[in-house]
Amino acid sequence: MRVREAAQRLDVSPGTVYALVASGRLRCYRVGMGRGSIRISEEHLAEYLRASEPSPPPGQGRGAEAPAPPHPRLKHLRVRRGDRGAG
């Protein structure tokens, strides 16, 4: 499909599609001499849309998630036990 068609499918401006292509986020191929005309396949568009989906919140992802790393020990901080609640 042409850039204008891809822009309509994504509900964005053609300039946004050109920017996505230039940044490498949306793949394309070129037809013609020199730089050629940009064409975007259905597969390229579907690939971009999959990559643009928001990630699921923690605990609701697909498959098992890696456990959260433990909190680092802050050796330079000291807590005085007797001062709790004072103030």
Side-chain angles (χ1 to χ4, degrees):
M1 72 184 76
R2 297 174 186 266
V3 170
R4 187 172 299 203
E5 295 169 79
Q8 288 173 344
R9 295 271 303 272
L10 294 173
D11 195 25
V12 297
S13 70
T16 300
V17 174
Y18 283 116
L20 289 169
V21 168
S23 70
R25 293 179 60 199
L26 177 59
R27 291 183 354 166
C28 70
Y29 59 94
R30 293 183 180 264
V31 177
M33 303 294 288
R35 291 186 62 205
S37 297
I38 293 176
R39 296 292 185 264
I40 300 161
S41 70
E42 292 287 338
E43 180 182 329
H44 294 154
L45 197 58
E47 192 177 280
Y48 169 74
L49 290 172
R50 276 192 303 274
S52 297
E53 289 178 355
S55 58
Q60 297 180 4
R62 300 179 209 127
E65 289 190 29
H71 292 286
R73 296 190 72 153
L74 303 175
K75 295 178 182 178
H76 64 283
L77 296 179
R78 296 200 178 167
V79 177
R80 291 190 282 177
R81 302 280 178 188
D83 289 345
R84 252 192 239 174

